[in-house]
Amino acid sequence: MRFDPALPYLRLAWCLGFSTSLSPDCPHPLLDRDGEIEKWFGLSARELEEKGLPKAARRRLLDRNRGRDMALAMLRETERLGMGLLWPGHPDWPRELEEQADAPPVLWFLGTPSALDAALFTVVGTRHPSPYGIQAGTQFSEALALGGCHIVSGLARGIDSIGHRAALKNGSPTIAVLGSSLDQLYPPENKELARGILRAGGLLLSEFPPGQQAFKNSFPRRNRILAFLGRGVLVVEATLRSGTLITAEWAATRGKPVWAIPGPFGSPSSRGCHKLIREGAFLADHPAGLLQDLELEPQTPAFSREGLSDLDLQVLEQLRQGPTPPDALSTATRSEIQRVLASLEILKAKGLVRRLEGSLYARTRYS
């Protein structure tokens, strides 16, 4: 199997357990894996107990035959579903995770791992943003994308989705870290967004094996990966009880800078951000200011005609006149409507056009 080198990491992941609760102030001791990973499978019951491992993890580590069987079963299911695997030592393993003792032993992925090679920045916030939060999340995320960052977020409702969509709108790959397995995507209404991420050269990541649905502890676990991957974390809106604050706490405990956007003083969705700012987070009061803090300049890549058909170029030329519906493009280019619709999908995937309300299409700043 092409994933054979991942077997010991899959065994370790199974031994750890995929439902173990993790928090910034109480990481799992098994994750502090200095030295060779195989050493964990040769320790005695006493040695495992001395290392402070929970009883369930000790039992799994000592059950060597079952551990191998479970790892092989996960491997077969991974290949059957067409997923990829990353593990420490893999050429595409995120460099941001290399020094993190709390990093997962293995990551499942769909999409393009090279999306991890760019500067990564994490954008998180409430699942129920206010109109102010929607506007702020969109504008800050667009600025980061134009500054050359690949946005990392959790594919959740609300700010996460806004961050991903802002990246896609501006032709930038984006990375989604799920709180479920890749084949049990949550929330289900974001399946089309996930497909858009893949079409645009982005990446879906999960530490959960095939078949694992989202559960109560899966999102706090996922949040540490969000914190680790980005060079920093931006919190758009958050209540005082928001799980978003867990992401910020993971980042702060690992020396990652955190920015928070202030909001109306009476808004519950701003209180989490105000708390972070009082506790030392950087003030994100304008997208240009955030780019300045990061020493980034907005980038507008040159438009390339490579891979575009004559019809694609005609459609782009017609869209110079402003937002246009497909039937008008069909008439103007003297082409069948189905060919025009196919052309628009190609141009959308390349980030050259975007769909507006009312079935209108418009050029992006990249075209």
Side-chain angles (χ1 to χ4, degrees):
M1 293 183 182
R2 61 192 176 102
F3 294 136
D4 281 354
L7 277 172
Y9 296 98
L10 284 168
R11 285 180 64 190
L12 183 61
W14 178 78
C15 292
L16 169 63
F18 295 103
S19 61
T20 307
S21 178
L22 298 175
S23 64
D25 57 350
C26 188
H28 197 298
L30 184 55
L31 290 169
D32 187 15
R33 47 184 186 277
D34 56 318
E36 294 295 326
I37 192 171
E38 292 283 0
K39 76 172 188 177
W40 288 102
F41 309 118
L43 296 178
S44 67
R46 180 185 294 273
E47 289 171 322
L48 291 171
E49 186 174 5
E50 289 174 351
K51 287 184 174 292
L53 298 182
K55 185 177 181 179
R58 299 199 304 267
R59 185 175 64 251
R60 289 173 176 148
L61 279 164
L62 293 170
D63 193 349
R64 294 179 176 86
N65 289 334
R66 190 175 179 215
R68 282 190 292 268
D69 291 344
M70 293 300 295
L72 285 169
M74 286 189 286
L75 204 54
R76 286 192 291 268
E77 187 67 0
T78 298
E79 293 191 321
R80 185 185 72 81
L81 293 171
M83 298 176 185
L85 273 175
L86 301 176
W87 59 91
H90 188 286
D92 291 317
W93 182 252
R95 59 181 177 271
E96 292 82 1
L97 300 184
E98 290 176 356
E99 302 302 322
Q100 299 293 347
D102 304 302
V106 66
L107 286 170
W108 280 264
F109 77 87
L110 288 172
T112 310
S114 61
L116 294 163
D117 295 338
L120 307 179
F121 201 89
T122 299
V123 176
V124 291
T126 178
R127 287 174 168 81
H128 307 285
S130 67
Y132 169 81
I134 293 171
Q135 180 183 26
T138 299
Q139 292 183 0
F140 274 85
S141 297
E142 287 186 347
L144 287 166
L146 290 172
C149 290
H150 289 181
I151 289 174
V152 178
S153 200
L155 202 71
R157 302 178 181 99
I159 296 300
D160 287 18
S161 297
I162 288 168
H164 291 307
R165 289 193 172 98
L168 296 177
K169 174 185 172 183
N170 288 275
S172 174
T174 179
I175 297 162
V177 185
L178 277 60
S180 64
S181 64
L182 299 177
D183 63 324
Q184 299 290 329
L185 191 144
Y186 183 87
E189 63 264 30
N190 274 350
K191 288 182 179 179
E192 182 54 38
L193 176 56
R195 285 191 282 267
I197 289 172
L198 297 179
R199 287 195 298 267
L203 187 66
L204 306 181
L205 291 173
S206 176
E207 68 171 311
F208 299 106
Q212 177 67 67
Q213 295 183 343
F215 57 97
K216 181 178 179 180
N217 288 334
S218 65
F219 297 105
R221 284 180 64 107
R222 182 274 311 276
N223 289 353
R224 80 190 194 285
I225 304 175
L226 292 175
F228 295 166
L229 284 178
R231 61 181 289 189
V233 172
L234 173 67
V235 180
V236 179
E237 275 190 324
T239 67
L240 289 174
R241 297 176 60 84
S242 172
T244 299
L245 300 186
I246 298 175
T247 307
E249 186 179 357
W250 274 110
T253 59
R254 298 304 185 272
K256 299 263 187 174
V258 176
W259 282 262
I261 300 176
F265 71 89
S267 170
S269 294
S270 295
R271 290 173 184 165
C273 290
H274 296 165
K275 177 178 184 290
L276 291 173
I277 293 169
R278 285 196 304 271
E279 293 176 351
F282 293 106
L283 174 67
D285 56 354
H286 194 279
L290 177 58
L291 292 187
Q292 185 175 13
D293 289 347
L294 296 170
E295 299 181 346
L296 296 175
E297 293 288 339
Q299 301 171 0
T300 304
F303 167 53
S304 172
R305 294 171 176 259
E306 184 178 353
L308 299 181
S309 69
D310 289 342
L311 179 57
D312 297 336
L313 294 172
Q314 291 179 50
V315 169
L316 282 175
E317 186 61 31
Q318 290 299 320
L319 290 176
R320 285 187 182 278
Q321 301 175 29
T324 310
D327 56 348
L329 292 171
S330 176
T331 301
T333 60
R334 298 180 180 179
S335 301
E336 295 178 358
I337 187 65
Q338 294 302 322
R339 291 188 61 218
V340 169
L341 291 171
S343 174
L344 287 168
E345 286 302 310
I346 291 171
L347 294 171
K348 273 179 59 183
K350 291 180 176 291
L352 299 176
V353 304
R354 56 194 175 98
R355 184 172 180 173
L356 308 177
E357 292 184 6
S359 297
L360 296 175
Y361 286 81
R363 294 172 65 122
T364 69
R365 68 190 71 195
Y366 289 99
S367 59

